[in-house]
Amino acid sequence: MTVTTTTTHTTKEILDLVDQYLDALDRADAKHQAEYIERSIQKAVEAGKTLDEATERVRSYASERSYAYSAQMGRRFIKIIQTCIDRGAYADHRPSVHAFVEAETGLVFMPAGWSAPAKGARYDLTDEAERALLFANCGFSGGYLYADEVAKAKATLRESE
């Protein structure tokens, strides 16, 4: 018989971890945008544009679009909301749910829709190793929350231990 112990965490502790998660998402978004700019400039130069033309065009597009993340407390879950901030041509973007965090346990779930998480926790914010893995893999698209991606990431973590 296997006995599992659960550590209880206060709501404040979970909310502090959620704030760290939001910061990790912001850093991932900034990193993605920088990589996008670099790739786009390289492609434009390869297509015959001058470096100045390529840089100006790509930077103006990239500065028009980014994401903002916020948390909304519910009865059982903290909803991580992603909003596209457009300062240019793409004006009509509505917020979407990026993830759910269970308020009592710190378990992270992929969204099934606006008001409910998908079955099966993906990460545990209260576990230091899983939290580090989550923060290292998170991104604006949410692909890191798919069960097969989580399994690959956790397998890599186990191999490195």
Side-chain angles (χ1 to χ4, degrees):
M1 178 178 192
T2 304
V3 177
T4 58
T5 58
T6 58
T7 307
T8 58
H9 297 277
T10 65
T11 303
K12 183 182 178 339
E13 290 171 328
I14 299 296
L15 288 172
D16 287 344
L17 293 171
V18 167
D19 281 342
Q20 292 174 30
Y21 184 22
L22 296 174
D23 290 342
L25 286 166
D26 284 337
R27 285 190 306 274
D29 184 37
K31 180 182 176 194
H32 173 267
Q33 202 162 56
E35 290 169 351
Y36 167 80
I37 289 171
E38 187 177 317
R39 280 190 318 271
S40 298
I41 290 172
Q42 184 178 0
K43 286 180 182 179
V45 168
E46 289 170 359
K49 303 250 187 241
T50 68
L51 184 56
D52 288 339
E53 290 172 327
T55 303
E56 180 56 33
R57 182 169 170 259
V58 170
R59 286 196 191 284
S60 67
Y61 170 77
S63 67
E64 291 178 355
R65 182 175 211 158
S66 62
Y67 296 94
Y69 300 92
S70 60
Q72 183 180 66
M73 188 74 175
R75 280 181 284 161
R76 183 171 170 209
F77 291 98
I78 301 165
K79 191 182 296 185
I80 306 298
I81 298 172
Q82 175 181 8
T83 306
C84 183
I85 301 171
D86 284 323
R87 301 181 244 336
Y90 309 100
D92 188 30
H93 285 283
R94 293 181 180 89
S96 60
V97 178
H98 185 79
F100 284 92
V101 178
E102 193 169 34
E104 287 185 11
T105 63
L107 295 175
V108 178
F109 294 82
M110 182 174 183
W114 181 260
S115 58
K119 293 185 188 277
R122 304 310 202 243
Y123 290 96
D124 182 353
L125 280 177
T126 63
D127 180 90
E128 192 174 328
E130 284 199 20
R131 184 172 58 248
L133 188 63
L134 170 64
F135 292 174
N137 290 318
C138 67
F140 77 96
S141 67
Y144 67 98
L145 291 172
Y146 282 99
D148 59 336
E149 292 299 319
V150 173
K152 283 185 217 173
K154 289 182 178 183
T156 303
L157 178 66
R158 284 190 294 275
E159 288 173 4
S160 67
E161 290 177 339

